[in-house]
Amino acid sequence: MKVSNRLNTINGDGDDGWGLFYRSRKMIVDGVKVTELTIGEHDIRTDKSILDAMHASAVGGHTGYAMIPGTDALRDAVADRIQTRTGIPTTRDNVMITPGGQSALYATHLAALDAGDTALFIDPHYATYPGTVRGVGGIPVALKASPDNDFQPQIDELAAAAADPRAKSLLINTPNNPTGVVYSQETLNGIAQVCKDHDLWLISDEVYDTQVWDGEHISSRTLPDMAERTMVVGSMSKSHAMTGSRVGWICAPADMIAHLINLATNTNYGVPGFIQDAALFALKAGDALEAQVAAPFERRRALTLQALEGQNVVRAVPAQGAMYVMLDIRATGKSSWDFANALLDEELIAVMPGESFGSAAAGHIRVAMTIDDDAYVDAINRLVAFAKACIT
Ligand code: PMP
């Protein structure tokens, strides 16, 4: 039977960029002891208190169909969190609960684009972005943020791409996966101006908002006159180590949320009630729990910088957030694919080639800081020794 063109071409050239990750997983299944620094998954599990709340809710009967836009209590808690952190008036009418940030990315693009419209995003980018855009019938347009500019997008280039009348949305991600870069106020102001000048929706992926190591997270909804054209994607995955629970949200203008609820009604039909109750419990647990979940990444980032001292073959991209470090390995003379594949074969260390996230990250690798400190430092030391051996 024929598969629709939209689905058949969802991965573009057919490569989803995760080849090295699949290879390392296969090695692990075959019994090889690989040190995995690939995916954005915490080395701790969801806190037991959150699981207890989930269990109590399920046993208490919250296993039927739940409110499709999210329970009132959870929507209120998310709205409260956003209003407290941003100062922008936010009510439950601005919030829809989603099965994770990934489905929120899909829903927001479906809401912003008609078939054949173009969706702008910044390269390097989270691996699913182009597929998400293709999945809603849009045309992905990647705009390069160069290592020469510390991976901050260049506003004049955004403006030139936004001038195409088919452009309907701009997707940004700060703190950024894969680079760890946090966009400056100046960059964000420029982005806001481009969106206003060219009537674009800004889709702001803020799933790493609790992982900022220098300065503060700036939500795009706080930019001047942007709340009416911004859809923020949020998630409990990274902030509360709840990746498997699949719970996140969209924060957007109330009339857009009403449309998005129609989409949810006709697609996923909402998020299970016991998961929503667990998320509510987690949010009510307050900032201390979030800080506890984020702390290992800040610590390991410092350990990374320490381990890189005294040599200049491997350089860390100056990064302010998220659970990754991006390492510049151009001095080895190897491409990011060759380096990562050889590192896996020879040192049994799996990292993501920069180019899995777009061509702007050529010559870089992304390291997920997601194993315990001692093993992590050992892996970075071996990675550096391997890099040095490449040029001797
Ligand atoms: N956006 C970014 C930038 C991510 O890195 C991820 C997950 N790695 C997501 C969205 C999706 O996260 P989730 O669906 O678990 O909320």
Side-chain angles (χ1 to χ4, degrees):
M1 288 294 293
K2 182 179 177 321
V3 175
S4 72
N5 287 338
R6 186 175 292 183
L7 187 52
N8 213 7
T9 57
I10 197 163
N11 284 337
D13 61 8
D15 183 354
D16 65 1
W18 288 87
L20 187 132
F21 169 70
Y22 299 136
R23 191 160 83 79
S24 88
R25 277 285 151 104
K26 167 131 191 359
M27 287 166 76
I28 291 168
V29 169
D30 293 345
V32 182
K33 200 168 170 310
V34 175
T35 303
E36 266 199 311
L37 305 172
T38 46
I39 51 168
E41 179 98 86
H42 315 67
D43 44 324
I44 54 162
R45 299 289 83 187
T46 306
D47 196 80
K48 182 167 178 311
S49 62
I50 301 175
L51 298 179
D52 288 343
M54 193 183 291
H55 183 251
S57 168
V59 171
H62 211 168
T63 53
Y65 292 124
M67 296 283 286
I68 293 174
T71 62
D72 288 350
L74 182 56
R75 291 172 83 194
D76 286 346
V78 171
D80 245 34
R81 180 185 194 263
I82 293 171
Q83 182 166 304
T84 307
R85 291 179 185 194
T86 63
I88 303 294
T90 309
T91 71
R92 80 169 67 134
D93 293 337
N94 298 114
V95 173
M96 184 176 83
I97 305 303
T98 62
Q102 186 61 54
S103 82
L105 286 167
Y106 185 86
T108 48
H109 281 93
L110 192 91
L113 303 177
D114 284 314
D117 287 342
T118 61
L120 313 180
F121 59 97
I122 316 299
D123 169 2
H125 56 84
Y126 173 46
T128 65
Y129 285 177
T132 298
V133 172
R134 287 187 206 102
V136 306
I139 299 168
V141 174
L143 301 164
K144 280 191 191 172
S146 147
D148 303 340
N149 301 313
D150 290 340
F151 289 112
Q152 299 267 337
Q154 298 306 290
I155 301 307
D156 49 343
E157 289 166 22
L158 291 188
D164 179 340
R166 291 174 307 167
K168 295 291 162 21
S169 63
L170 169 60
L171 167 61
I172 61 167
N173 171 221
T174 176
N176 186 267
N177 176 10
T179 60
V181 164
V182 170
Y183 290 176
S184 66
Q185 182 77 60
E186 192 191 351
T187 298
L188 288 169
N189 287 343
I191 285 170
Q193 200 55 53
V194 169
C195 291
K196 287 183 280 193
D197 288 348
H198 299 283
D199 199 20
L200 299 185
W201 278 102
L202 180 61
I203 300 175
S204 185
D205 180 342
E206 302 182 16
V207 304
Y208 294 98
D209 64 344
T210 60
Q211 299 179 357
V212 178
W213 321 131
D214 298 325
E216 276 186 12
H217 173 66
I218 305 169
S219 174
S220 300
R221 250 172 115 244
T222 63
L223 301 169
D225 302 320
M226 283 302 286
E228 69 209 45
R229 58 171 67 251
T230 301
M231 293 189 262
V232 173
V233 170
S235 175
M236 302 292 291
S237 288
K238 313 292 177 179
S239 58
H240 291 81
M242 291 180 71
T243 48
S245 291
R246 314 308 307 133
V247 56
W249 59 80
I250 299 166
C251 179
D255 53 346
M256 178 52 111
I257 290 292
H259 287 290
L260 287 164
I261 294 170
N262 290 334
L263 174 64
T265 304
N266 289 290
T267 52
N268 53 51
Y269 221 71
V271 174
F274 52 92
I275 300 282
Q276 295 199 53
D277 287 345
L280 178 63
F281 173 89
L283 290 181
K284 298 262 180 213
D287 297 353
L289 181 57
E290 292 184 11
Q292 185 187 319
V293 172
F297 306 117
E298 182 171 19
R299 202 172 61 233
R300 289 171 198 154
R301 175 184 175 252
L303 291 172
T304 315
L305 298 180
Q306 244 172 46
L308 297 183
E309 274 169 15
Q311 55 81 47
N312 53 16
V313 182
V314 179
R315 278 191 333 103
V317 167
Q320 303 85 33
M323 57 212 288
Y324 314 99
V325 285
M326 192 79 154
L327 300 180
D328 182 344
I329 49 95
R330 284 176 292 183
T332 65
K334 283 195 186 305
S335 75
S336 72
W337 289 106
D338 288 350
F339 184 90
N341 275 308
L343 186 69
L344 179 57
D345 289 331
E346 292 174 36
E347 290 294 330
L348 303 180
I349 297 172
V351 297
M352 294 298 289
E355 280 150 300
S356 316
F357 308 99
S359 57
H364 291 70
I365 52 168
R366 188 194 76 172
V367 174
M369 301 183 283
T370 48
I371 58 173
D372 79 68
D373 294 14
D374 289 346
Y376 179 75
V377 170
D378 177 61
I380 297 296
N381 285 336
R382 285 194 289 132
L383 185 154
V384 170
F386 173 81
K388 283 183 181 163
C390 290
I391 53 172
T392 50

